[in-house]
Amino acid sequence: MQELIQRLVEAFGPSGKEDQVRDIVRGEIEPYVDEISVSPLGGLHAIVNPGGGTKIMVAAHMDEIGVIISHVDGNGFARFHKIGGVFPQTLVGHRVRFEGDVTGVIGAEASVEIGDAPKLAEAFIDFGASSVAECPVRVGDLGAFTRPFVKLGNRYVAKSLDDRVGVAVAIEAAKRLRNSPNEVQFAFTTQEEVGLRGARTSAYGLDPDVGIALDVTRTGDTPKGIKMAIELGGGPAIKVRDSGSLSDPRVVDLMVRRAEAAHIPYQLEVLQAGTTDATAIQLTRAGVPVGVISIPCRYIHTPSEMVDAGDVENSVKLLVEILKAPVTLDRE
Amino acid sequence: MRPEDATLSLLKELIELPGLSGYEGPVQRRMHAEWEPLSDEIRVGRIGSLYARKRGSGQEPRKSVMLAAHMDAIGMMVSELVEGFIRVAPIGGLDPRVLPGQPVIVHGRRELPGIVVQPPDHNLPDDLSRKPIPLKYLLVDVGLPDPARLVRIGDLISFAQPPIELGEDVLSGHSLDNRASLVAITECLRELGQRDHEWDVLAVATVQEEETFAGAYAAGFELKPSIAIAVDVTFARGPGLPEHKTFKFGKGPANGWGPNIHPGIYSAIEEAAKRVEIPLTREVLPVHSGTDAFPLQIAGEGIPTGLISIPLKYMHTPVEVVSIKDVQRTGRLLAEVVAGLAADFMDTLTWD
């Protein structure tokens, strides 16, 4: 899986420009699913066993955070807005890439004290140009942070592991699953980082009975970190709630039962800041019972996100355990 | 029994049931038993809301009015186990200032009584000394050396403060937001059992209002009512509170007004209140009303929506206070609104 993850995280795909990622996903998953289509918002729907059993939507978002050019000045410096939750402390000195293999570096105005993070309005991108004509980008162009993938011990470090690692888990699960008594709707969604938009419309179109999102979650295992009972290497996190969604208790129970039956380590997750595609799926049509398999991840929304290879493998195993047997939710 | 006593006893029973957002089972089952004899069809929606339909006398296809009150309550969830104590995450908008010293129930492998405690002052960061303690530092003590045997991350913690009857026809307790409105809708259904109404009535107890509004989004989409009225609580007046944002306690409900509210529904409620001489105050809601009226308005193709609110003191604390008379007035007002809906009411909802 490492090779697949590396290809996915190094692909370019800020919210709204997920084409490169979608091409990789399609190439990987197409031989293992029965139907494949692209949604009006650019999401990829890959269906296993259409028409059979409980419809389970499995969502992982392809997009990543990034920047959008808002102005280019006479000296060729570009100003930008953020796409999704970009932190000011990750700006200065970082590199951003645009379509057509264009790279720029982020600088800040001198009014920003050394040691302080600039406000977005105080930062700019330098493309090595000295005029508007030389500047290789124009207003509206989308960029994403760039950083090579590395493996540290048993951990993967890269930009956009949020949520390419979820995408990789879904692809790998499809490969191992081959078939399912359920109708499994893999949905590789778009525009999650800017408001869960692709999942909202995909869920409306797919009209699932159950929704499962695959995404990263925060951990409480770093020095003086947040108070949260999730650690890297402790297994996939089964989400109970976050700030946007309440997992359906029946889905949580199902995940816990399947994990325990297959001796897969897991952690229970209560996340107090952040959310996933499950929030949008839950509110679709007449409501959809949802759950989330979260991959614990340190330094989320920085260019060096970190996940544990064992957690990734166990996330795949757990997803396969859930999908390979019939899923029914007892009515309360 | 005085009617006030019947209202009071149902409300007391309801607030003693847990039913935190996302886990409304206990209150949903109780409301099912209450509404089944008062309705013609009753079922549970896809994500747990309760739908009861009482058919009207008009010709099919009949219009329908949804009366929606959320049945979920605020509370806490186990977020971490530390040295024999439980750390908590909020469910809904908790006020941490009133939590220390509160009795709670931790819903672990069995129900465990517990108390919310704050750490000693000297264990807190300097800037918090002698100040209200934020939730992330509060702990729950269940008096067990190793609670991990019985408690896991994600278990629910509900308030255990018993209801207290105050003064005359006044009740104090947790979860009166919004169980008081469930009782008002119940009173409405009872009254409609005695009188004619042309429209179908959809009594709905929604889930997850305090967190996601999922129940109302789903109910609006699934049931597609012609119009909807959300029933919730609002802020009662008290010393030091701004008059323009609060409502006299025990002096009748409030009628929501603003972009979230259809003016025609507002007027129907106002006219009904005049007919039965129920005092009613206009509640100005310039933005999101913070109630199920918001998701209902934009569910499906959009639903003309109104909002009736019962004034409540000390909202989102374990000692909320409500006037039983206001609960009854709200029930009577709802019944009058429903009974007043003529077959051609929708034709009057024009924007011109």
mmCIF file of all heavy atoms in Angstrom, chain B residues 5 25 60 64 68 78 98-99 107 118 123 139 155 160 199 213 222 244 264 287:
data_model
loop_
_atom_site.group_PDB
_atom_site.id
_atom_site.type_symbol
_atom_site.label_atom_id
_atom_site.label_comp_id
_atom_site.label_asym_id
_atom_site.label_seq_id
_atom_site.Cartn_x
_atom_site.Cartn_y
_atom_site.Cartn_z
ATOM 1 N N ASP B 5 -52.083 19.360 36.912
ATOM 2 C CA ASP B 5 -51.377 18.230 37.526
ATOM 3 C C ASP B 5 -51.035 17.154 36.490
ATOM 4 O O ASP B 5 -49.982 16.531 36.551
ATOM 5 C CB ASP B 5 -52.213 17.636 38.665
ATOM 6 C CG ASP B 5 -52.389 18.649 39.794
ATOM 7 O OD1 ASP B 5 -51.507 19.519 39.949
ATOM 8 O OD2 ASP B 5 -53.411 18.580 40.495
ATOM 9 N N GLY B 25 -33.438 7.156 22.327
ATOM 10 C CA GLY B 25 -34.289 5.969 22.495
ATOM 11 C C GLY B 25 -35.266 6.027 23.658
ATOM 12 O O GLY B 25 -36.472 5.828 23.458
ATOM 13 N N GLU B 60 -59.481 14.081 0.644
ATOM 14 C CA GLU B 60 -58.138 13.786 0.138
ATOM 15 C C GLU B 60 -57.981 14.384 -1.257
ATOM 16 O O GLU B 60 -58.971 14.471 -1.983
ATOM 17 C CB GLU B 60 -57.916 12.274 0.104
ATOM 18 C CG GLU B 60 -57.921 11.710 1.508
ATOM 19 C CD GLU B 60 -57.280 10.331 1.584
ATOM 20 O OE1 GLU B 60 -56.171 10.179 1.041
ATOM 21 O OE2 GLU B 60 -57.892 9.446 2.176
ATOM 22 N N SER B 64 -51.234 19.030 5.149
ATOM 23 C CA SER B 64 -50.776 18.580 6.467
ATOM 24 C C SER B 64 -49.942 19.671 7.129
ATOM 25 O O SER B 64 -49.232 20.421 6.463
ATOM 26 C CB SER B 64 -49.949 17.305 6.338
ATOM 27 O OG SER B 64 -48.817 17.551 5.548
ATOM 28 N N ALA B 68 -43.375 20.240 15.286
ATOM 29 C CA ALA B 68 -42.109 19.553 15.590
ATOM 30 C C ALA B 68 -41.472 20.088 16.858
ATOM 31 O O ALA B 68 -41.321 21.303 17.015
ATOM 32 C CB ALA B 68 -41.134 19.719 14.422
ATOM 33 N N VAL B 78 -18.140 10.664 27.733
ATOM 34 C CA VAL B 78 -16.809 10.330 28.229
ATOM 35 C C VAL B 78 -15.808 10.542 27.100
ATOM 36 O O VAL B 78 -15.956 9.968 26.019
ATOM 37 C CB VAL B 78 -16.754 8.859 28.699
ATOM 38 C CG1 VAL B 78 -15.333 8.488 29.118
ATOM 39 C CG2 VAL B 78 -17.750 8.617 29.822
ATOM 40 N N VAL B 98 -21.990 26.030 35.762
ATOM 41 C CA VAL B 98 -22.936 25.444 36.721
ATOM 42 C C VAL B 98 -22.717 23.946 36.906
ATOM 43 O O VAL B 98 -23.505 23.282 37.564
ATOM 44 C CB VAL B 98 -24.391 25.689 36.286
ATOM 45 C CG1 VAL B 98 -24.703 27.171 36.278
ATOM 46 C CG2 VAL B 98 -24.660 25.071 34.938
ATOM 47 N N LEU B 99 -21.653 23.415 36.318
ATOM 48 C CA LEU B 99 -21.497 21.955 36.372
ATOM 49 C C LEU B 99 -20.869 21.423 37.668
ATOM 50 O O LEU B 99 -21.321 20.388 38.180
ATOM 51 C CB LEU B 99 -20.691 21.472 35.162
ATOM 52 C CG LEU B 99 -21.406 21.641 33.820
ATOM 53 C CD1 LEU B 99 -20.504 21.177 32.686
ATOM 54 C CD2 LEU B 99 -22.719 20.873 33.791
ATOM 55 N N HIS B 107 -23.556 6.395 31.841
ATOM 56 C CA HIS B 107 -24.200 5.219 31.253
ATOM 57 C C HIS B 107 -23.130 4.277 30.710
ATOM 58 O O HIS B 107 -22.888 4.190 29.507
ATOM 59 C CB HIS B 107 -25.184 5.655 30.174
ATOM 60 C CG HIS B 107 -26.268 6.555 30.691
ATOM 61 N ND1 HIS B 107 -27.480 6.087 31.106
ATOM 62 C CD2 HIS B 107 -26.284 7.893 30.923
ATOM 63 C CE1 HIS B 107 -28.220 7.111 31.551
ATOM 64 N NE2 HIS B 107 -27.515 8.212 31.449
ATOM 65 N N GLN B 118 -14.395 19.832 40.153
ATOM 66 C CA GLN B 118 -13.308 20.605 39.549
ATOM 67 C C GLN B 118 -12.022 20.280 40.298
ATOM 68 O O GLN B 118 -12.039 20.030 41.493
ATOM 69 C CB GLN B 118 -13.612 22.097 39.556
ATOM 70 C CG GLN B 118 -14.121 22.649 40.863
ATOM 71 C CD GLN B 118 -14.652 24.056 40.677
ATOM 72 O OE1 GLN B 118 -14.719 24.568 39.564
ATOM 73 N NE2 GLN B 118 -15.032 24.698 41.754
ATOM 74 N N ASN B 123 -3.932 23.003 40.995
ATOM 75 C CA ASN B 123 -3.621 22.097 39.889
ATOM 76 C C ASN B 123 -3.969 22.698 38.526
ATOM 77 O O ASN B 123 -3.794 22.054 37.502
ATOM 78 C CB ASN B 123 -4.400 20.794 40.040
ATOM 79 C CG ASN B 123 -3.791 19.897 41.094
ATOM 80 O OD1 ASN B 123 -2.769 20.240 41.677
ATOM 81 N ND2 ASN B 123 -4.416 18.775 41.353
ATOM 82 N N LEU B 139 -13.910 17.099 35.798
ATOM 83 C CA LEU B 139 -13.831 15.640 35.858
ATOM 84 C C LEU B 139 -15.139 15.093 36.422
ATOM 85 O O LEU B 139 -15.871 15.805 37.114
ATOM 86 C CB LEU B 139 -12.679 15.218 36.778
ATOM 87 C CG LEU B 139 -11.293 15.710 36.382
ATOM 88 C CD1 LEU B 139 -10.317 15.566 37.544
ATOM 89 C CD2 LEU B 139 -10.790 14.937 35.164
ATOM 90 N N ASP B 155 -19.123 6.754 26.160
ATOM 91 C CA ASP B 155 -20.304 6.508 26.987
ATOM 92 C C ASP B 155 -20.958 7.839 27.347
ATOM 93 O O ASP B 155 -20.295 8.872 27.477
ATOM 94 C CB ASP B 155 -19.911 5.752 28.275
ATOM 95 C CG ASP B 155 -19.676 4.263 28.023
ATOM 96 O OD1 ASP B 155 -20.029 3.788 26.921
ATOM 97 O OD2 ASP B 155 -19.153 3.583 28.917
ATOM 98 N N ALA B 160 -28.531 14.125 36.629
ATOM 99 C CA ALA B 160 -29.336 13.301 37.539
ATOM 100 C C ALA B 160 -30.100 14.152 38.548
ATOM 101 O O ALA B 160 -30.711 13.628 39.464
ATOM 102 C CB ALA B 160 -28.424 12.314 38.273
ATOM 103 N N TRP B 199 -57.221 19.528 8.296
ATOM 104 C CA TRP B 199 -55.872 19.110 7.874
ATOM 105 C C TRP B 199 -55.370 17.922 8.684
ATOM 106 O O TRP B 199 -55.767 17.722 9.839
ATOM 107 C CB TRP B 199 -54.894 20.268 8.083
ATOM 108 C CG TRP B 199 -54.972 21.368 7.075
ATOM 109 C CD1 TRP B 199 -56.095 21.840 6.459
ATOM 110 C CD2 TRP B 199 -53.882 22.149 6.596
ATOM 111 N NE1 TRP B 199 -55.763 22.869 5.626
ATOM 112 C CE2 TRP B 199 -54.423 23.080 5.684
ATOM 113 C CE3 TRP B 199 -52.514 22.153 6.837
ATOM 114 C CZ2 TRP B 199 -53.618 24.013 5.012
ATOM 115 C CZ3 TRP B 199 -51.711 23.081 6.177
ATOM 116 C CH2 TRP B 199 -52.262 23.994 5.264
ATOM 117 N N PHE B 213 -29.222 19.240 14.051
ATOM 118 C CA PHE B 213 -30.533 19.503 13.445
ATOM 119 C C PHE B 213 -30.944 18.377 12.483
ATOM 120 O O PHE B 213 -31.817 18.552 11.649
ATOM 121 C CB PHE B 213 -30.564 20.839 12.688
ATOM 122 C CG PHE B 213 -30.339 22.031 13.576
ATOM 123 C CD1 PHE B 213 -29.134 22.699 13.586
ATOM 124 C CD2 PHE B 213 -31.346 22.481 14.417
ATOM 125 C CE1 PHE B 213 -28.931 23.802 14.403
ATOM 126 C CE2 PHE B 213 -31.151 23.579 15.243
ATOM 127 C CZ PHE B 213 -29.945 24.245 15.236
ATOM 128 N N GLU B 222 -38.736 13.822 4.556
ATOM 129 C CA GLU B 222 -39.456 12.550 4.488
ATOM 130 C C GLU B 222 -40.973 12.758 4.479
ATOM 131 O O GLU B 222 -41.696 12.069 3.770
ATOM 132 C CB GLU B 222 -39.036 11.689 5.688
ATOM 133 C CG GLU B 222 -39.340 10.222 5.534
ATOM 134 C CD GLU B 222 -38.632 9.363 6.579
ATOM 135 O OE1 GLU B 222 -37.834 9.899 7.377
ATOM 136 O OE2 GLU B 222 -38.906 8.151 6.592
ATOM 137 N N HIS B 244 -35.352 43.256 25.241
ATOM 138 C CA HIS B 244 -35.719 42.960 23.853
ATOM 139 C C HIS B 244 -35.351 41.545 23.429
ATOM 140 O O HIS B 244 -35.728 41.105 22.358
ATOM 141 C CB HIS B 244 -35.080 43.989 22.903
ATOM 142 C CG HIS B 244 -33.595 43.908 22.813
ATOM 143 N ND1 HIS B 244 -32.759 44.326 23.821
ATOM 144 C CD2 HIS B 244 -32.786 43.440 21.831
ATOM 145 C CE1 HIS B 244 -31.498 44.139 23.449
ATOM 146 N NE2 HIS B 244 -31.487 43.590 22.256
ATOM 147 N N GLY B 264 -47.008 34.355 6.683
ATOM 148 C CA GLY B 264 -48.379 33.824 6.700
ATOM 149 C C GLY B 264 -48.604 32.872 7.861
ATOM 150 O O GLY B 264 -49.698 32.812 8.433
ATOM 151 N N VAL B 287 -31.625 36.348 12.467
ATOM 152 C CA VAL B 287 -30.852 35.358 11.689
ATOM 153 C C VAL B 287 -31.376 33.954 11.995
ATOM 154 O O VAL B 287 -32.553 33.781 12.263
ATOM 155 C CB VAL B 287 -29.336 35.471 11.984
ATOM 156 C CG1 VAL B 287 -28.760 36.684 11.279
ATOM 157 C CG2 VAL B 287 -29.048 35.538 13.457
#
